[in-house]
């Protein structure tokens, strides 16, 4: 029922290829919420309150998405449309761009002899959906010497969500349940070290027919509230 309503809303907004790509966003959003509920623990006993188990363990059920399409072909449109439709229905949805390892995971600095922790995006938005319009900004940041650990930390965040980081002034750890929606151009697609197995790719390589169809939708989308 809810699925049908969301798909109908995309249709009413004349979102191109919503029948192809829309279900992935709806399912990712639903799995994000289910994962938050299924991973809850009793605050006193710390025992799991999960309803879904696999082999005696509570699985991580998130499904992050990577939309691969040329510049100007709906990556941001899908993010903005989903945020507009369900952005206030539960999970908070935030936009981010390029990030260093310290900005993403957090860091600890020595301030007058005392360790001071600065939380990162993965901790501050531990229960949110993080949307990154151009994922190549992240993969390029991984190549910098000062971001040497960004790739493995990102793997941990997207896989099991248990993050630990040790630095000279001190260490810290946290659990994050964030779901990532990202976009990237085909020419900038560069996923290694297991990232490709942790993000569901949505590939759109437009043809002349797609260009014509998108042009024909422009007057139909005008004036849609």
């Amino acid at each position: 029922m809810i699925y049908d309503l969301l798909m109908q809303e995309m249709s009413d907004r004349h979102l191109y290829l919503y029948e192809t790509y829309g279900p992935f966003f709806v399912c990712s959003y639903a799995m994000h919420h289910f994962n938050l509920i299924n991973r809850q623990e009793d605050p006193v006993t710390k025992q799991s309150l999960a309803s879904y188990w696999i082999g005696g363990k509570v699985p991580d059920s998130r499904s992050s998405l990577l939309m691969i399409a040329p510049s100007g072909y709906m990556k941001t449109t899908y993010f903005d449309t989903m945020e507009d439709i369900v952005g206030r229905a539960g999970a908070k949805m935030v936009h981010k761009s390029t990030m260093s390892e310290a900005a993403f995971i957090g860091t600890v600095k020595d301030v007058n002899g005392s360790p001071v922790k600065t939380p990162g995006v993965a901790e501050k938005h531990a229960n949110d959906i993080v949307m990154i319009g151009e994922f190549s900004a992240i993969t390029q940041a991984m190549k910098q010497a000062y971001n040497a650990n960004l790739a493995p930390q990102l793997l941990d965040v997207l896989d099991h969500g248990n993050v630990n980081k040790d630095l000279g002034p001190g260490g810290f750890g946290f659990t994050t349940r964030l779901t990532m929606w990202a976009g990237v151009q085909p020419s900038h697609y560069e996923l290694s070290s297991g990232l490709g197995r942790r993000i569901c790719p949505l590939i759109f390589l437009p043809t002349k027919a797609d260009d014509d169809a998108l042009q024909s939708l422009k007057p139909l989308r005008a004036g849609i509230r």
Side-chain angles (χ1 to χ4, degrees):
M1 179 63 178
I2 296 177
Y3 173 86
D4 294 332
L5 289 172
L6 293 174
M7 293 298 290
Q8 184 61 50
E9 179 67 18
M10 294 183 210
S11 175
D12 293 342
R13 292 174 183 236
H14 299 289
L15 185 63
Y16 187 55
L17 294 179
Y18 76 93
E19 291 178 309
T20 300
Y21 300 109
F24 289 93
F25 284 92
V26 174
C27 290
S28 176
Y29 186 86
M31 292 307 298
H32 177 81
H33 276 273
F34 172 75
N35 189 62
L36 293 178
I37 296 171
N38 199 53
R39 308 274 312 198
Q40 289 182 341
E41 296 180 342
D42 186 286
V44 178
T45 64
K46 300 301 180 182
Q47 290 185 335
S48 174
L49 300 177
S51 60
Y52 178 64
W53 300 69
I54 293 180
K57 296 182 64 177
V58 181
D60 192 292
S61 306
R62 294 171 294 160
S63 178
S64 293
L65 305 177
L66 180 65
M67 192 164 189
I68 305 166
S71 178
Y73 283 92
M74 305 190 304
K75 297 188 294 293
T76 304
T77 300
Y78 267 91
F79 298 163
D80 290 345
T81 300
M82 289 304 299
E83 182 181 20
D84 195 37
I85 296 174
V86 297
R88 287 175 289 180
K92 182 179 178 181
M93 306 172 78
V94 297
H95 292 267
K96 296 294 178 181
S97 54
T98 184
M99 288 175 283
S100 65
E101 179 196 349
F104 185 62
I105 298 298
T107 189
V108 176
K109 294 183 178 180
D110 188 307
V111 179
N112 298 325
S114 299
V116 177
K117 176 189 173 185
T118 302
V121 170
E123 184 173 6
K124 289 188 291 186
H125 297 287
N127 296 327
D128 304 334
I129 295 177
V130 176
M131 296 176 287
I132 302 175
E134 189 51 65
F135 192 68
S136 62
I138 305 297
T139 55
Q140 288 297 319
M142 294 177 184
K143 299 178 181 179
Q144 305 300 320
Y146 56 84
N147 286 329
N149 294 318
L150 177 56
Q153 295 286 16
L154 182 58
L155 291 176
D156 289 343
V157 167
L158 296 180
D159 188 9
H160 45 72
N162 300 318
V163 178
N164 291 281
K165 185 173 182 177
D166 293 295
L167 297 169
F172 61 90
F174 61 89
T175 299
T176 182
R177 305 295 177 212
L178 73 80
T179 293
M180 180 180 292
W181 291 353
V184 69
Q185 298 180 42
S187 59
H188 297 161
Y189 180 80
E190 185 179 353
L191 294 185
S192 58
S193 302
L195 273 177
R197 292 184 285 108
R198 290 167 173 82
I199 306 179
C200 176
L202 308 178
I203 304 173
F204 176 42
L205 302 178
T207 64
K208 181 62 168 60
D210 292 311
D211 286 336
D212 294 340
L214 284 168
Q215 289 296 326
S216 66
L217 281 177
K218 282 187 176 181
L220 297 177
R221 289 172 60 84
I224 297 294
R225 297 175 70 94

